[in-house]
């Protein structure tokens, strides 16, 4: 009940073409190697593979985008490709809520395992994924081209 209150003005919806400009804008705000608008547009061409959940704030003019998460379905695996929450809305449980909802969707589609990559220094994201049952199983050295940072490979084998 408390969570319903906390998220009362928020709506969760699937990615549509009309979201692309705003999505690419928030992506740029959140990542040092952002996906382009064109890359997000490609996602819409593969609806059987690519699944995105957006959260918008109905209480504000223009229903601004507050966060989003996407995964690719590969057999019974969900490959998480992106998760971001607008900087001003972080630390309020929104990332956890988004991730919980989209992993529930993945499970309903038959996914039994989930995997993702996260920067070695990205502790907030790592804590969030731990809370969701992910464990670090490998390291990809110097994976990120902007600062040669390692990537941690996480799996949740019991989605
Ligand atoms: C990672 C991110 C999505 C988290 O979103 P959020 O809405 O702030 O996360 P939540 O408020 O739901 O927090 C969930 C859990 O994450 C962890 N967490 C979140 N922010 C944290 C922080 N600043 N420091 C440490 N742990 C943190 C905590 O375990 C938290 O659970 P708790 O509140 O019970 O302690 C957000 O910080 C973000 O958009 N970062 C930039 C983009 C990014 O790095 N995405 C992940 C790419 S792999």
């Amino acid at each position: 009940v408390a969570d319903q209150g906390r998220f009362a003005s928020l709506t969760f919806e699937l990615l549509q073409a009309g979201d692309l400009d705003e999505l690419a804008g928030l992506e740029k705000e959140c990542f040092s190697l952002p996906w382009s608008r064109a890359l997000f547009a490609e996602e819409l061409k593969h609806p059987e593979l690519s699944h995105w959940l957006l959260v918008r704030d109905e209480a504000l003019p223009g229903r601004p985008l507050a966060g989003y998460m996407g995964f690719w379905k590969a057999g019974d695996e969900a490959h998480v490709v992106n998760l971001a929450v607008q900087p001003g809305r972080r630390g309020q449980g929104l990332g956890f809520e988004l991730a919980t909802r989209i992993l529930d969707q993945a499970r309903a589609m038959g996914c039994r395992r989930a995997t993702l990559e996260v920067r070695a220094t990205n502790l907030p994201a790592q804590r969030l994924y731990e809370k969701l049952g992910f464990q670090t199983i490998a390291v990809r050295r110097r994976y990120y081209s902007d600062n040669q940072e390692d990537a941690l490979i996480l799996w949740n084998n019991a989605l």
Side-chain angles (χ1 to χ4, degrees):
V1 175
D3 275 358
Q4 278 170 7
R6 181 151 45 134
F7 299 122
S9 69
L10 300 179
T11 53
F12 294 81
E13 54 197 35
L14 302 181
L15 174 63
Q16 297 177 37
D19 298 315
L20 289 171
D21 288 337
E22 212 182 349
L23 182 58
L26 183 52
E27 169 85 5
K28 215 170 161 183
E29 234 182 293
C30 294
F31 293 101
S32 52
L33 295 173
W35 281 31
S36 65
R37 185 188 187 284
L39 265 185
F40 283 118
E42 277 298 311
E43 296 293 296
L44 287 170
K45 296 181 188 163
H46 308 282
E48 70 299 332
L49 169 79
S50 168
H51 305 276
W52 290 81
L53 191 63
L54 275 56
V55 55
R56 292 184 170 281
D57 192 336
E58 303 293 335
L60 295 175
R63 310 174 64 242
L65 187 61
Y68 56 91
M69 181 164 175
F71 78 93
W72 294 336
K73 185 176 185 306
D76 70 350
E77 296 177 357
H79 291 217
V80 175
V81 285
N82 221 332
L83 164 66
V85 168
Q86 195 217 308
R89 289 183 172 272
R90 290 181 191 162
Q92 298 165 24
L94 191 49
F96 187 80
E97 179 71 15
L98 255 177
T100 301
R101 285 181 183 235
I102 205 168
L103 292 173
D104 280 350
Q105 282 183 13
R107 197 177 299 113
M109 288 174 199
C111 293
R112 294 293 170 260
R113 291 152 32 89
T115 185
L116 54 86
E117 276 147 21
V118 58
R119 286 179 186 256
T121 61
N122 191 350
L123 298 181
Q126 288 169 38
R127 294 290 96 80
L128 169 52
Y129 297 136
E130 274 167 30
K131 267 183 82 174
L132 291 160
F134 285 82
Q135 292 178 321
T136 303
I137 58 108
V139 178
R140 234 167 242 156
R141 298 281 169 213
R142 303 167 73 81
Y143 179 73
Y144 294 99
S145 63
D146 58 334
N147 64 354
Q148 277 71 50
E149 186 172 357
D150 295 345
L152 307 185
I153 313 296
L154 275 59
W155 276 93
N156 176 334
N157 285 316
L159 201 57

